[in-house]
Amino acid sequence: MPDVLYCIRQPGTLWNGLMPLPEGLEPRCPTSRTYRQEVQDGLSRVEQYVALGWQPQVLMGPLKRAGYVLLEDETSGPQHYSVFMGRVAPAELYYTAVPDGPNTLITVSGN
């Protein structure tokens, strides 16, 4: 059986070693077979984290400190937050946050 955290190549870090993972976040990987295959084939990267409570922007500060800027707001609402970020245009990262029960599921993806 494949490793449950197939998408986290460097455990304890955010975005494959960009920085230490901020405290209070639990890593998770998408269950989608398509995502799993794309990551294993090196076509894309995806990391997921669960934060306690509703904290849709919890990783925005760390990503900005690492040099990523908000390039385009896509959706913002009471139950969904998603943006495109990058160090240069076009966007390199897609950041999305949705409820996961009482918590927040954050997905960072790109290639």
Side-chain angles (χ1 to χ4, degrees):
M1 179 173 172
D3 184 6
V4 174
L5 292 179
Y6 70 91
C7 67
I8 309 294
R9 288 195 179 158
Q10 292 187 36
T13 68
L14 174 64
W15 202 238
N16 198 29
L18 182 64
M19 69 187 68
L21 183 63
E23 206 171 306
L25 295 170
E26 175 188 328
R28 186 186 290 175
C29 292
T31 57
S32 163
R33 287 182 188 197
T34 302
Y35 252 140
R36 182 180 300 269
Q37 192 62 53
E38 286 180 8
V39 169
Q40 290 173 342
D41 290 347
L43 301 174
S44 64
R45 184 187 307 167
V46 61
E47 295 183 6
Q48 285 187 330
Y49 301 94
V50 177
L52 294 178
W54 178 240
Q55 301 183 65
Q57 297 184 21
V58 70
L59 288 177
M60 293 293 290
L63 288 169
K64 286 180 179 180
R65 285 190 295 278
Y68 289 91
V69 296
L70 177 66
L71 296 174
E72 182 180 342
D73 283 318
E74 185 181 72
T75 306
S76 185
Q79 297 293 309
H80 188 99
Y81 177 78
S82 60
V83 297
F84 291 98
M85 300 181 77
R87 291 181 171 153
V88 295
E92 300 165 87
L93 301 179
Y94 180 60
Y95 177 108
T96 185
V98 295
D100 184 47
N103 301 317
T104 309
L105 176 63
I106 299 161
T107 303
V108 180
S109 59
N111 51 2

